[in-house]
Amino acid sequence: MCTTPSSRLLLRLIIDVVILIALCCFALIALPKILPTTRRGFFCSDASLHYPYTASLLSRVHITITVIALPAAVMLVVEMLWAAVRATRKSTSPTATTAGKCSGVQRFAFIGINIPTFVSECYKIVGVYFFGLALVLIAQSATKHFVGRLRPHFFDVCQPQLLETLGGGLACDRSASAAQNVTTGYIEDYECYELAASAELLSMARQSFPSGFTATVCYAMCFVIFYLQARLSASAFLMLKTLLQFGCLALATMVAIERFYTHYNHWTDIMAGAFLGFSVAAFATICVAGLFKGIPIKSRKPREDFTRIYGYYGANRVAKYY
């Protein structure tokens, strides 16, 4: 058995965990308190804001399971499967040398414990995934507060009333005096009815763009789709890979439809969230993790009647022989 001791592994692990926790706390806790939500006005004739408020079919628990538990489980199972297949190939290869066999069972020594290679590789890809997820959370949270777009059920939740300086009363009351001339123009001076809804719901009614649920779920599902495309490249896994990818795509589509069906987001909010999730997933898998990147290392001298040129490919730097 070959071991690869790493005195810096513990330090790297601590730094990675601290960075991920800091990014998540910044996106979920600090950023909403630092950035005030932009206050936007409205037109009473805007039909896109007159939809009734309905309870969402999805909760934060559902989204947490979808973007954390499900991708992590898929990546862990795939890494274990790929490690088993790779070990089988190396053990049955007639050209396997002593060094090759040694690398096939290579382990990392961490605090006196031998850790299988697939565990460290799984940690790398999962770490990249959570790093990209934190970027999505930061981007969508900052955009929501900066844009401050009103949700389709804004009127039903807010029940806006004019300020006392404008005569008070409902902002969009069609029976109001025409002399005030406030129902036909752009209304900015208003307040939500204090008993209409909770403070959290009133705050969320101003944060429609982009769709946060769509952005995070699209990121998670696109990341898994790209990951499966890179890792399950063997023809034996074609049906399994296609089935899993289709399931991920269907799940992301269902979440987007739910946000539109329950009047929580405009269709443009959903498209923006899907684009954000897809873009960050492509950046994380291609640029950060390098799942589709082949790195040639070196070539050996001719041995007998053939030349073996080998390199590494994929996130796990798996040796590929020619």
Side-chain angles (χ1 to χ4, degrees):
M1 179 184 298
C2 299
T3 58
T4 304
S6 178
S7 58
R8 300 181 180 179
L9 188 58
L10 179 59
L11 178 61
R12 176 184 174 184
L13 177 62
I14 295 176
I15 293 176
D16 291 344
V17 172
V18 170
I19 291 177
L20 289 177
I21 294 178
L23 287 176
C24 292
C25 292
F26 177 74
L28 299 176
I29 301 176
L31 195 59
K33 296 182 179 180
I34 296 175
L35 294 179
T37 303
T38 301
R39 182 183 178 87
R40 297 183 60 175
F42 55 85
F43 290 95
C44 288
S45 59
D46 190 353
S48 64
L49 303 179
H50 284 275
Y51 288 93
Y53 172 77
T54 56
S56 175
L57 301 177
L58 299 175
S59 65
R60 296 185 183 275
V61 176
H62 297 135
I63 299 301
T64 302
I65 295 175
T66 304
V67 303
I68 295 181
L70 183 59
V74 170
M75 287 182 277
L76 178 60
V77 172
V78 170
E79 288 299 327
M80 294 177 62
L81 178 63
W82 182 249
V85 172
R86 185 175 58 181
T88 302
R89 288 180 178 178
K90 286 186 174 294
S91 63
T92 57
S93 175
T95 59
T97 61
T98 304
K101 294 179 181 179
C102 184
S103 61
V105 294
Q106 184 179 16
R107 296 174 181 269
F108 290 90
F110 179 65
I111 318 181
I113 303 175
N114 292 328
I115 302 176
T117 306
F118 86 91
V119 175
S120 63
E121 298 300 338
C122 188
Y123 157 75
K124 293 177 183 178
I125 193 65
V126 171
V128 172
Y129 170 78
F130 282 110
F131 173 74
L133 180 60
L135 295 182
V136 172
L137 293 175
I138 293 175
Q140 62 95 7
S141 180
T143 306
K144 278 179 177 292
H145 287 80
F146 178 76
V147 176
R149 188 178 187 182
L150 306 179
R151 293 188 183 271
H153 54 237
F154 173 74
F155 282 154
D156 194 18
V157 172
C158 178
Q159 299 181 20
Q161 293 181 318
L162 296 175
L163 298 179
E164 293 297 332
T165 57
L166 298 178
L170 295 177
C172 295
D173 188 359
R174 299 185 182 275
S175 63
S177 175
Q180 295 179 354
N181 195 25
V182 294
T183 61
T184 58
Y186 186 71
I187 300 177
E188 292 183 295
D189 299 324
Y190 68 92
E191 292 291 343
C192 292
Y193 182 52
E194 59 182 2
L195 300 179
S198 63
E200 181 181 2
L201 188 58
L202 291 176
S203 176
M204 294 298 296
R206 303 177 186 274
Q207 302 174 7
S208 183
F209 182 90
S211 174
F213 279 15
T214 304
T216 52
V217 173
C218 279
Y219 165 77
M221 297 300 102
C222 289
F223 190 99
V224 173
I225 289 175
F226 293 148
Y227 170 75
L228 293 175
Q229 185 66 29
R231 297 299 292 119
L232 300 181
S233 58
S235 58
F237 301 120
L238 178 60
M239 295 298 294
L240 176 61
K241 177 181 67 176
T242 304
L243 180 62
L244 293 176
Q245 290 175 330
F246 177 78
C248 292
L249 182 62
L251 184 58
T253 304
M254 290 174 59
V255 172
I257 293 176
E258 189 275 341
R259 303 311 286 173
F260 181 78
Y261 175 76
T262 55
H263 312 308
Y264 268 78
N265 296 103
H266 306 275
W267 70 269
T268 50
D269 306 333
I270 296 173
M271 295 298 295
F275 177 76
L276 173 62
F278 173 82
S279 301
V280 178
F283 169 75
T285 53
I286 298 175
C287 300
V288 181
L291 291 178
F292 301 95
K293 184 178 181 180
I295 306 178
I297 303 300
K298 64 180 180 179
S299 60
R300 291 182 177 178
K301 296 181 179 180
R303 183 176 299 175
E304 296 180 354
D305 58 343
F306 64 91
T307 301
R308 293 174 57 188
I309 303 176
Y310 68 99
Y312 295 93
Y313 68 95
N316 296 334
R317 301 182 61 83
V318 181
K320 189 173 183 179
Y321 295 87
Y322 297 91

